[in-house]
Amino acid sequence: MTRPSPLALLPMVLFLSLFIGSGLFYQAQGIEFAFYEISAPVAILPAIVLAVLFASGSLNQRVEQFIKGCSDPTLITMLLIFLLAGGFASVAKAIGGVDATVNFGLSIIPPSLVLPGLFLMTAFMATAMGTSMGTIAAVAPIAVGLTEATDLSLALTVGTVVGGAMFGDNLSIISDTTIAATRTQGCSMADKFRMNLKIAIPAALITMVWLYLQGSEVQVSDNTEHSAVKMMPYLLVLVLAVSGLNVLVVLLAGIVLAGLTGLLLVDDYHIAQWAKDIYAGYTGMQEIMILSLLIGGLAYMMKQAGGLEWLAQQIDRLSRRKEAKDNQQRSGETSLSLAVAVSNLCTANNTVAILISGGLAKDIAGRYQVDPRRSASLMDITSCVVQGIIPWGAQMLLAASIAGLSPLQLMDSVIYCWVLGAALIASIVIGRPLAKVG
């Protein structure tokens, strides 16, 4: 086995320093679109070179490690979602489906409730689907359309969608994170769900009140005419998504129906234009697809080089040091939450972070007598908070690409994840006794 080493984490530090540091530098120079001066897929290249230098084995073996990380089945699925989401959003926009859906919503929902309503709809979809990625792919174009029909902030509106998607991903009993957390900690999904509710529901209510205050004086355009037929692609996507159908099939069905609707109802819309719109959607996802692919390879190499194992050792050592001084449940909860958070920062994948830190978290929970239901809940919530705000995470990359924003511009607009993080910290600090479940 590879010896744990802190040096294995330096590539990620280098990447973040180049990506965020260059953006802040150019922003200080007053350059417009500062964070696009050095794009993330380029900023990560020196980090990959550094990771290859730190890896063991021959040069070919090191390259093969990187390729293995890039070819992870979960990552490939995510890339396909990016492609189909881009194609669907582009075609639906071109035929007027987004405008029709937005105008219909604005005609029946009071303007002051647009943002809370968007959050609720997204949260419901994500809970039913069990995936934040599929939810963002379906709803983010509607959020962008809302900003074009109102004076709502684009970042805030799209951030509302990301927050709602992470709410559902965290609570859904069919979510990958729920399955990973409950299996590693040895508790039932239903019990973990009920534990999550105690933190997630208050955070969601606070978020909705804040969103209501932000949109209480929103101005809506007078044009709310809509075509029920042009709304059909979105209705189909929403219904199929909630039914539990595979997200790739859902998005492909949306592309087909949106294209057929355009051929039948939109003047001068033909098959060649349909094909161009699909391809335009593909190209719009180019940056996040490249970055996700490279991050997948980099994260795998850091793991193979012992970086994540070194982190786990440090957190375990910290928890044992705390144990000697103050044997309290709070110390154990803090340590296992920290293990998930750090793993998530390095891997940019909440499910993988839970799986990597699951054994360590279970050990810490056992030493500090943290109930398995509680530890599973804390792990899932922590990963939800981190994944929802890191600009190199898949959810932020997808939402930012659809909105045409830098993911760094969305960070402070995912209000729910920030509120959920505060609620999580408060829950650990207060440390009230575990209520009976079941």
Side-chain angles (χ1 to χ4, degrees), residues 211-246:
L211 291 173
Y212 169 78
L213 295 175
Q214 293 300 304
S216 60
E217 298 181 1
V218 63
Q219 299 295 318
V220 180
S221 65
D222 296 331
N223 179 24
T224 56
E225 295 182 4
H226 55 273
S227 166
V229 179
K230 289 184 179 180
M231 290 171 52
M232 289 303 297
Y234 264 109
L235 293 178
L236 176 69
V237 166
L238 297 178
V239 171
L240 291 180
V242 172
S243 72
L245 194 63
N246 184 282

Side-chain angles (χ1 to χ4, degrees), residues 240-307:
L240 291 180
V242 172
S243 72
L245 194 63
N246 184 282
V247 63
L248 296 175
V249 178
V250 170
L251 292 171
L252 183 59
I255 291 174
V256 172
L257 184 57
L260 293 177
T261 302
L263 294 175
L264 294 174
L265 298 180
V266 179
D267 294 336
D268 297 327
Y269 196 82
H270 41 76
I271 292 179
Q273 185 59 50
W274 182 13
K276 290 178 181 178
D277 289 335
I278 294 175
Y279 189 71
Y282 288 173
T283 57
M285 294 291 166
Q286 174 179 297
E287 182 175 359
I288 64 168
M289 288 184 64
I290 295 174
L291 179 59
S292 298
L293 192 70
L294 298 180
I295 282 181
L298 179 62
Y300 183 79
M301 293 195 73
M302 289 195 303
K303 179 183 177 182
Q304 293 300 107

